[in-house]
Amino acid sequence: MNQETIGHFINGRVVADLDRTQDVFNPATGEVARKVALASGATVEQAIAAAEAAFPDWRNTPPLKRARIMFRFKELLEQNQDKVAALITEEHGKVLHDALGEFQRGVEVVEYACGAPEFLKGEHSKNVGPAIDSWSEFQPLGVVAGITPFNFPAMVPMWMYPMAIVCGNTFVLKPSERDPSAPMLIAELFKKAGLPDGVFNVVNGDKEAVDALLSDPRVQAVSFVGSTPIAEYIYQTGSSNGKRVQALGGAKNHAIVMPDADMDNTVSALMGAAYGSCGERCMAISVVVAVGNETADVLVGKLKRELSQLRVGSGNDNSNHMGPLITGAHRDKVLGYVNLGEEEGAELVVDGRGLKVEDYENGFFLGGTLFDHVTPEMKIYQDEIFGPVLCVVRAHNMEEAMDLIDQHEYGNGTCIFTRDGEAARYFSDNIKVGMVGINVPLPVPVAYHSFGGWKRSLFGDLYAYGPDAVRFYTRRKTITQRWPSGGVREKASFTFPSNT
């Protein structure tokens, strides 16, 4: 059977480059859904050249006109949301309602980008000195690139290119080769919205495409979201090649559960945060730190009961809570961590291994898994598992719980469940983590704030989307201007200028 092969979107049209291809799976069935072309270095250079050629005219397009294209893009996205969500579910496996939720959070960044005429205004000061005016402008960088992961094929790319493009840059996106169809469809919608050819380009590929973007001197900046080892490589390689880089890495997000927490609501929140999207979220809660053995016993008992009701199956069935993992290889990796947790001595309260879904026996499924009595030296505690595995650690008090979080190498997200305002305030003020929730398990900032972690969860100085995106995708230029009076010859001054 001949299968569709996804190509690339360069200079407003689809480009094949089929010398190398890779299978794209439907994770629910385990079957190959289509193939994706893996770009050669020459194809990446073609995309960069198209972006470079489009930059001068796009740079000089008034921000209001750029924003109007964004408004039309937003309308087209909303009109096609079901098509995009269906592609996400088919290639990633997440349940349709979750795919729509991801998509909507991405559209909110497009919505924020529509405000470009306001956030690109710059600053102006009259008479900073005698008859001297000064102002600053936010000028675009040029060609910029984004490298994005498989777990949010629509949302994470939209964290990047809408803001970069509305700021006057041109963009080359390298999405995940595991679920490439949604970014390609969205690129077509962007063109339909009136975006000039070459302003937005998509190259599908692997490390060859990534390295081409990192080494090409025409690429001025790179944004990345993915695992910490790759984030560190992207940051070091891109920076050594003179690029501005923001590289968001991995996570091991902890939730502290205090003895006074509303336990039923806490358990409901943890179920969604730990097992939603099969745990394949950089903001997933993967560790619960229960303060006190009584708290832990009650929490584990309630989680065990809820897990017995967890509905796992095809993402096309909206009654399911959780779908499959992205690939068989990733499923096997997560299974390896479950096996390792047993070997390390953690108590396996709920075992998700061996799950079979009727009519989907070949899918990449793993049931929700729960470990108790996990300790910090265990690999299942230290590593980002990126699957439906929740670890419960027991702490004597809040100070011990916070020390665990602060000592971990990752600092992406965290939360606390409590009714105590004093404890919540102390936690949010002192914890060494970039994004904090108070009775909110997934504290992902809205589009008009910015997203990013601390420690080895972020390489670079600026967060993704929101106000930080304006700073990342522009350079500040400050102009100071004076017009001397006509016919008057001024004497040279050898004193450093001041306003005194």
Side-chain angles (χ1 to χ4, degrees):
M1 183 178 70
N2 291 328
Q3 291 173 323
E4 173 193 10
T5 300
I6 302 295
H8 319 280
F9 190 84
I10 298 174
N11 207 25
R13 64 185 181 90
V14 175
V15 175
D17 182 17
L18 304 181
D19 289 344
R20 293 189 305 132
T21 62
Q22 179 174 303
D23 292 338
V24 177
F25 290 91
N26 180 327
T29 65
E31 298 174 348
V32 176
R34 54 186 58 88
K35 292 182 178 293
V36 61
L38 302 178
S40 64
T43 298
V44 177
E45 288 182 2
Q46 183 182 348
I48 295 170
E52 184 183 40
F55 175 64
D57 285 346
W58 184 245
R59 175 193 189 278
N60 291 320
T61 299
L64 182 59
K65 289 187 176 181
R66 295 183 215 147
R68 285 172 179 162
I69 292 173
M70 286 292 170
F71 274 113
R72 289 194 292 272
F73 181 43
K74 175 179 177 291
E75 290 174 359
L76 288 170
L77 288 170
E78 291 168 343
Q79 291 168 13
N80 289 272
Q81 63 178 7
D82 291 336
K83 292 180 183 178
V84 177
L87 290 172
I88 294 170
T89 294
E90 182 182 8
E91 295 181 348
H92 176 277
K94 65 179 66 176
V95 183
L96 276 168
H97 57 70
D98 189 25
L100 281 170
E102 164 196 342
F103 178 73
Q104 181 56 43
R105 289 303 295 266
V107 172
E108 287 172 9
V109 178
V110 178
E111 191 171 41
Y112 179 73
C114 292
E118 172 63 27
F119 58 64
L120 291 175
K121 284 194 304 187
E123 302 158 344
H124 184 273
S125 295
K126 185 177 181 179
N127 287 333
V128 296
I132 299 174
D133 303 328
S134 185
W135 68 90
S136 63
E137 301 173 355
F138 301 108
Q139 296 192 346
L141 307 178
V143 179
V144 298
I147 302 164
T148 57
F150 72 82
N151 59 328
F152 289 103
M155 181 184 74
V156 171
M158 284 195 278
W159 283 3
M160 300 175 184
Y161 64 79
M163 289 299 296
I165 287 171
V166 87
C167 286
N169 303 281
T170 54
F171 203 93
V172 179
L173 171 67
K174 206 301 286 182
S176 172
E177 64 277 17
R178 296 180 187 177
D179 41 13
S181 292
M184 289 292 286
L185 173 58
I186 292 172
E188 296 275 8
L189 296 177
F190 215 169
K191 175 181 172 69
K192 189 176 179 180
L195 191 71
D197 291 346
V199 175
F200 181 52
N201 308 274
V202 180
V203 290
N204 290 299
D206 52 11
K207 189 174 184 296
E208 183 175 339
V210 169
D211 287 342
L213 291 170
L214 293 176
S215 62
D216 196 299
R218 293 169 293 182
V219 177
Q220 300 298 305
V222 176
S223 300
F224 172 83
V225 175
S227 68
T228 284
I230 306 302
E232 192 166 26
Y233 171 78
I234 296 287
Y235 182 74
Q236 291 176 348
T237 306
S239 297
S240 67
N241 285 317
K243 304 183 192 310
R244 184 180 291 185
V245 182
Q246 58 176 188
L248 282 68
K252 195 73 174 180
N253 304 313
H254 296 59
I256 293 179
V257 178
M258 298 293 288
D260 68 337
D262 181 330
M263 199 60 71
D264 288 336
N265 283 330
T266 297
V267 168
S268 294
L270 290 174
M271 286 293 297
Y275 302 108
S277 200
C278 216
E280 293 172 321
R281 294 170 174 162
C282 65
M283 287 295 284
I285 293 296
S286 52
V287 177
V288 177
V289 186
V291 176
N293 282 324
E294 183 178 349
T295 303
D297 290 342
V298 172
L299 177 70
V300 170
K302 287 180 178 291
L303 285 169
K304 182 178 180 181
R305 284 193 293 273
E306 288 296 316
L307 276 165
S308 69
Q309 305 299 314
L310 186 70
R311 292 193 296 274
V312 183
S314 168
N316 287 319
D317 183 348
N318 255 332
S319 69
N320 287 325
H321 300 125
M322 193 175 85
L325 288 155
I326 182 79
T327 62
H330 186 59
R331 187 262 320 272
D332 293 344
K333 179 182 176 182
V334 178
L335 278 171
Y337 274 109
V338 179
N339 297 336
L340 180 61
E342 277 195 305
E343 295 170 12
E344 291 180 316
E347 180 187 341
L348 185 57
V349 179
V350 179
D351 187 351
R353 296 173 296 186
L355 173 72
K356 295 296 182 183
V357 177
E358 187 177 356
D359 297 328
Y360 294 92
E361 287 79 8
N362 296 320
F364 309 136
F365 291 98
L366 175 66
T369 299
L370 177 64
F371 280 107
D372 192 8
H373 296 285
V374 176
T375 55
E377 70 274 6
M378 296 179 180
K379 291 288 286 183
I380 62 169
Y381 173 81
Q382 296 168 0
D383 293 357
E384 182 180 35
I385 297 174
F386 224 59
V389 180
L390 180 61
C391 298
V392 176
V393 179
R394 296 175 178 232
H396 294 97
N397 50 50
M398 181 176 168
E399 181 182 13
E400 182 183 331
M402 290 179 64
D403 283 344
L404 285 169
I405 298 171
D406 287 345
Q407 290 166 17
H408 203 284
E409 65 172 323
Y410 296 128
N412 204 47
T414 188
C415 65
I416 187 171
F417 291 95
T418 182
R419 290 187 175 96
D420 186 335
E422 182 181 4
R425 190 174 190 276
Y426 181 84
F427 175 78
S428 63
D429 190 41
N430 290 281
I431 201 71
K432 295 181 177 67
V433 175
M435 292 171 284
V436 180
I438 309 298
N439 299 314
V440 175
L442 297 173
V444 179
V446 294
Y448 43 91
H449 288 268
S450 298
F451 179 105
W454 288 11
K455 296 182 282 189
R456 288 179 58 78
S457 292
L458 174 68
F459 298 87
D461 297 323
L462 294 170
Y463 282 14
Y465 67 80
D468 267 17
V470 180
R471 296 175 61 198
F472 183 77
Y473 291 120
T474 63
R475 290 190 181 97
R476 182 187 294 268
K477 178 180 286 185
T478 303
I479 300 101
T480 303
Q481 173 179 276
R482 174 175 179 262
W483 297 101
S485 300
V488 177
R489 173 65 186 270
E490 298 178 343
K491 295 181 179 179
S493 174
F494 298 93
T495 302
F496 192 81
S498 70
N499 293 326
T500 57

